[in-house]
Structure formats: C-alpha cells, structure tokens
Amino acid sequence: MAPLVSAQDGGGAAAQANNPLANMTAFNLQNYYIGDLTEIDKHANQFWLRYAKPFSIKDSNWIMRASLPLVTFPTGPNLSQNTGLGDLNVFAAYLIDTGNPAVSFGIGPQITAPTATDTGLGSEQWSAGFANVLFNASSPKFQYGYLLTWQHRFAGNSNRTDVNTGALQPFAFYQMGKGWYLRSAPIWVYNFENDDYSVPLGVGVGKVIKTKKTVYNLFVEPQWSVADEGPGQPEWQVFMGFNMQFPQ
C-alpha cells in the first residue's frame, strides 16, 4: 500500500504546506487578478474554491481535489464584464509508493462538468482526462514538483469549440525560515484544438502559520507572460491564496 505523506515524515509543516498530495484535508481560497488580456485589452478575475480530501479504496490511497471558479470575464460582442460560476473540475490521484516518504507521486482521472452560469464563462461541455502530480520535499529548504493535466470533450454542446487542453504547473518553494518562503507556481496551458497557448512566469512570497489543528498558508505571486498565442491570454496577473490544511 502506498503511504500517505505526513508533515512529520515529509519535511515538516512548512515544507508540506504547498503539497497537493499531503495527507490532510485542505480547503483553499485562491484568486487570479488578470490585469490585461491579449488582443482584448480588458481585465478579468478568477476566484477559486478548492477542496482536497485523502481517501482509501481497499489497500490503495488516493487524493481527491475539487475546484470551482467564480469568474469575471469580458463576454459578448461588446466585451462587457460578466460575473458568474465557471466549470467544476474534479480529479482523483492514486498515490504510488516512491520508496521515499518525502516524495509524493500520484496519477488518476479528472472530469470537468459544465456548471458555468453563463455561456461565456464556461465550455458548455463535459470533459475528461488525467491528472499527474509530483512533489519532492526531500529537502527542508527547497521543495519542487509539478501538476500535469489533460482533458478532452466527450459530451455537451457540439456547436462550441471542442475542449482539448493540456496544462503544466511547475512549482518550486524555497524556505527562508520562521514560516516565510519564496515561491513560483505558474500554469502553462496549451490548446490542442487551435494551438493557442499561455506561458507565464512568476515569483512570489508566502507565509506558513501552524496551529494545533490547522496549517495556514498565505501567499501572493505576481506573474508575467513570456510567451502566448491567441486572444484572451493573460499578459500579467497576480496569484493570491489563503490555504488551510487540517492534519489528521
């Protein structure tokens, strides 16, 4: 059976605070303020509610993560700002024993449901694919890893452009002591349907605060585009978060 990684055997609370596969229920409030969109010259915002929960199926260990965005985006012929719910995404990662309790590796299915409250804020399609996560906390000073996802349409509005997208989120965290750390966690996206893409880079700072029942993680990370193609890609954005982990 693959062991779940705890804060004790994975580098401590500060090192595990950014581990998406940590053996803790988690609830995250995260926000992307997008200051400028390519070819549109408008701003946008994505506020994410994220919930993660470890679970077991017989002798196998898994992590489930559900993400639901509240989106503000310019839509329609006049590109007026529209706010509403976006599409719900859920993935479940099966944890594979790496032989090192400080190295987490998981892979499993993901699904996206068309829950958007407006046609301009979602895909109107059901999509499915996979998610793969690596997190290496072997060093108490420096942690790194990635989240790789891919999904493709299998049902929904056939009049909309098919969803066929991949995303890679490399992340790195440098612990400075007393809960403070430097971070970089941009998301690089590629659309296989029209070859649009977005490649941002960013550097930010965070603070981990551990109490008896909760690990709090606050951060801010400005990001800038170094390569992009197609309309509606972020030229620059600010990624902020308030994450909470609840050790078992």
Side-chain angles (χ1 to χ4, degrees), residues 79-234:
L79 294 178
S80 58
Q81 296 288 349
N82 191 4
T83 299
L85 292 178
D87 292 342
L88 172 68
N89 174 265
V90 181
F91 73 73
Y94 165 62
L95 301 184
I96 298 173
D97 189 353
T98 65
N100 182 347
V103 178
S104 310
F105 184 86
I107 189 169
Q110 75 161 329
I111 188 167
T112 296
T115 57
T117 54
D118 185 270
T119 58
L121 302 178
S123 66
E124 295 187 286
Q125 297 176 350
W126 288 86
S127 304
F130 72 88
N132 170 219
V133 187
L134 169 72
F135 189 83
N136 190 324
S138 298
S139 166
K141 200 75 172 176
F142 179 69
Q143 299 84 48
Y144 63 91
Y146 66 81
L147 168 61
L148 174 66
T149 63
W150 171 81
Q151 57 184 332
H152 194 285
R153 172 194 179 273
F154 68 88
N157 188 346
S158 59
N159 293 323
R160 297 286 298 269
T161 302
D162 283 354
V163 172
N164 184 9
T165 57
L168 174 64
Q169 183 180 25
F171 40 75
F173 309 98
Y174 180 79
Q175 305 298 329
M176 297 186 292
K178 297 183 178 180
W180 291 97
Y181 67 94
L182 297 176
R183 58 172 289 127
S184 181
I187 300 177
W188 304 338
V189 181
Y190 189 84
N191 188 327
F192 292 96
E193 286 295 312
N194 58 17
D195 293 325
D196 286 356
Y197 57 84
S198 173
V199 183
L201 289 177
V203 176
V205 64
K207 170 71 170 178
V208 176
I209 303 170
K210 185 178 184 299
T211 66
K212 289 184 178 180
K213 295 183 178 180
T214 309
V215 177
Y216 299 99
N217 182 9
L218 300 88
F219 64 86
V220 59
E221 181 183 330
Q223 299 178 348
W224 296 268
S225 175
V226 296
D228 53 66
E229 180 68 35
Q233 309 295 345

Side-chain angles (χ1 to χ4, degrees), residues 5-92:
V5 177
S6 68
Q8 286 72 34
D9 58 21
Q16 288 296 324
N18 293 293
N19 182 359
L21 299 179
N23 182 24
M24 288 175 271
T25 300
F27 181 62
N28 301 338
L29 304 174
Q30 299 178 348
N31 192 81
Y32 287 89
Y33 173 74
I34 305 169
D36 192 15
L37 295 164
T38 58
E39 301 183 26
I40 297 177
D41 295 327
K42 297 278 188 176
H43 71 274
N45 198 81
Q46 295 179 341
F47 176 72
W48 288 88
L49 301 172
R50 288 196 162 107
Y51 175 76
K53 179 73 175 179
F55 67 96
S56 298
I57 301 176
K58 294 185 177 180
D59 290 335
S60 63
N61 291 319
W62 297 72
I63 291 283
M64 181 278 298
R65 191 184 82 171
S67 302
L68 180 67
L70 178 66
V71 182
T72 298
F73 200 84
T75 62
N78 296 324
L79 294 178
S80 58
Q81 296 288 349
N82 191 4
T83 299
L85 292 178
D87 292 342
L88 172 68
N89 174 265
V90 181
F91 73 73

